[in-house]
Each structure stands twice: as structure tokens, then as C-alpha cells.
């Protein structure tokens, strides 16, 4: 039996007309699923092991955000950091023989970055809204006792660069058309960054 608190707090300062600065911090907890705890399998000579001793994943998140309100929208820049303890991740345990693929706790990982976003309404013509964002991530495995080759490497499936552009056009009453483009930069799929 275990209980966790997930406190969150934010402090905002409107330091000039149309300008705001916000500092926020929060804790999130994700408990392992029933499948991660108890559902193992053997398929195509691969062993997928369950682990009833998994710990919950705990994330301490902090961000500092500067926002500017415009006549027809806003822009925002955010510095952020996530520090995650006991991150739940499916990996191969090389400390046992034969190796077994299972969901394990990664002791410590961290993601730091910066994100910029702009949202504008009635751009060039009435009813056309635009939104764009770009984010740079530096996600690293800080400590993984189950798989030491991952220490110091980029954390899998978090791209270094993410961008998006979305347009929404209200061209008639009760009619709306949207178009969006997203780009996800290079990312690794393995904890030791051995894939290309």
C-alpha cells in the first residue's frame, strides 16, 4: 500500500502592460499498470518478464515562462526542466543471463529545454488563425543501474527538436477548415543510443 501527493504551485507577475512572467513547479506520480506488474509472455524466443516490484515514476517539473500579449494574439517563451526518478521504461536487463526484456525503473533521467510559441488571430484576413511552436529538448539518462551503458546518453523517443504550424480558417458560418504540419527531429529508440 502506497500513497503519494502531487502538489503544484505557480507564481505569476504582470510586470508591465501586456507582459507576464510565471514560475511553476509541480510533482506528478505515475503508478505501473497491471500489465507492467503482472503480464509476462514468451513469443518468438523472446522473454518478456513482468515485474511486481516496480516503483511508481515520480516527476518534478519546473518551468519559467515569459508571455507577451499582442493586439491579435500572443507569444510565449518557456524554459523547462523535468527530473524523473524511477522512470518506467521497457529495456533489456544485461545484469542477468540470459537477458530478459522487461519494464524496469530507470533511477534518474532529466529533460531540459526551451520552447517558443506564437498564436495569432485574423491574420491577413478575418477568420484565419495561425499557431506555431518550436521546442529544443536535451533529455538524458542520468543513472540506470539496470543498464549502465545508458548513463549520460540521450533518453529514447524524445527528439532534440520539435516544431509545429497550424492554420485554422472560419470561412463561413458554422464552417471551419484546419491544416497542420508537425516535425519531430532525430531521436533514439534505444537507451544506449546504439540505433540510427
Amino acid at each position: 500500500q502506497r500513497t503519494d501527493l502531487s502538489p503544484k504551485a505557480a507564481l505569476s507577475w504582470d510586470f508591465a502592460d501586456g507582459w507576464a512572467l510565471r514560475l511553476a513547479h509541480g510533482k506528478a506520480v505515475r503508478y505501473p499498470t497491471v500489465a507492467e506488474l503482472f503480464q509476462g509472455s514468451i513469443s518468438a524466443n523472446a522473454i518478456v518478464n513482468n515485474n511486481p516490484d516496480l516503483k511508481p515514476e515520480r516527476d518534478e517539473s519546473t518551468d519559467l515562462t515569459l508571455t507577451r500579449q499582442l493586439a491579435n494574439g500572443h507569444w510565449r517563451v518557456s524554459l523547462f526542466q523535468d527530473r524523473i526518478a524511477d522512470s518506467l521504461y521497457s529495456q533489456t536487463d544485461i545484469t542477468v543471463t540470459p537477458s530478459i526484456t522487461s519494464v524496469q525503473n530507470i533511477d534518474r533521467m532529466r529533460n531540459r529545454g526551451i520552447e517558443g510559441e506564437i498564436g495569432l488571430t485574423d491574420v491577413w484576413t478575418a477568420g484565419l488563425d495561425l499557431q506555431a511552436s518550436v521546442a529544443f529538448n536535451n533529455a538524458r539518462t542520468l543513472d540506470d543501474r539496470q543498464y549502465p551503458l545508458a548513463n549520460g546518453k540521450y533518453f529514447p523517443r524524445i527528439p532534440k527538436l520539435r516544431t509545429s504550424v497550424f492554420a485554422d480558417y472560419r470561412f463561413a458560418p458554422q464552417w471551419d477548415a484546419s491544416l497542420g504540419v508537425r516535425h519531430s527531429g532525430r531521436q533514439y529508440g534505444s537507451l544506449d543510443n546504439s540505433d540510427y
Side-chain angles (χ1 to χ4, degrees), residues 30-82:
R30 179 178 93 78
Y31 281 81
T33 65
V34 173
E36 290 168 335
L37 291 168
F38 303 113
Q39 186 175 340
S41 66
I42 298 175
S43 174
N45 298 325
I47 299 174
V48 178
N49 196 14
N50 62 298
N51 184 352
D53 296 320
L54 288 173
K55 301 173 187 173
E57 181 177 283
R58 299 175 317 282
D59 180 4
E60 297 274 347
S61 297
T62 305
D63 77 74
L64 179 65
T65 299
L66 176 67
T67 304
R68 171 70 167 138
Q69 295 297 325
L70 306 171
N72 65 332
H74 71 277
W75 60 259
R76 169 183 63 81
V77 176
S78 298
L79 298 172
F80 60 86
Q81 174 176 275
D82 290 296

Side-chain angles (χ1 to χ4, degrees), residues 80 111-114 135-139 154 158-162:
F80 60 86
N111 184 25
R112 288 180 176 159
I114 184 170
F136 297 94
N137 297 286
N138 184 3
Y154 288 103
I158 299 179
K160 297 176 186 178
L161 172 68
R162 273 189 185 141

Side-chain angles (χ1 to χ4, degrees), residues 98-176:
S99 62
I100 300 171
T101 300
S102 59
V103 178
Q104 298 288 331
N105 288 116
I106 298 173
D107 301 280
R108 291 186 303 124
M109 70 84 63
R110 180 191 65 218
N111 184 25
R112 288 180 176 159
I114 184 170
E115 180 182 39
E117 182 255 344
I118 187 168
L120 301 171
T121 59
D122 296 330
V123 180
W124 300 305
T125 185
L128 178 60
D129 300 342
L130 294 178
Q131 184 176 12
S133 67
V134 59
F136 297 94
N137 297 286
N138 184 3
R140 302 278 184 160
T141 301
L142 301 180
D143 183 25
D144 185 355
R145 285 177 289 176
Q146 290 283 354
Y147 195 55
L149 292 174
N151 293 342
K153 299 291 181 22
Y154 288 103
F155 200 78
R157 298 195 293 265
I158 299 179
K160 297 176 186 178
L161 172 68
R162 273 189 185 141
T163 59
S164 66
V165 178
F166 292 97
D168 186 76
Y169 185 41
R170 300 176 306 281
F171 58 90
Q174 300 181 344
W175 285 92
D176 189 270

Side-chain angles (χ1 to χ4, degrees), residues 8-26:
K8 295 164 183 65
L11 182 64
S12 183
W13 179 31
D14 297 329
F15 62 91
D17 186 30
W19 291 86
L21 189 65
R22 186 192 72 178
L23 177 64
H25 182 79

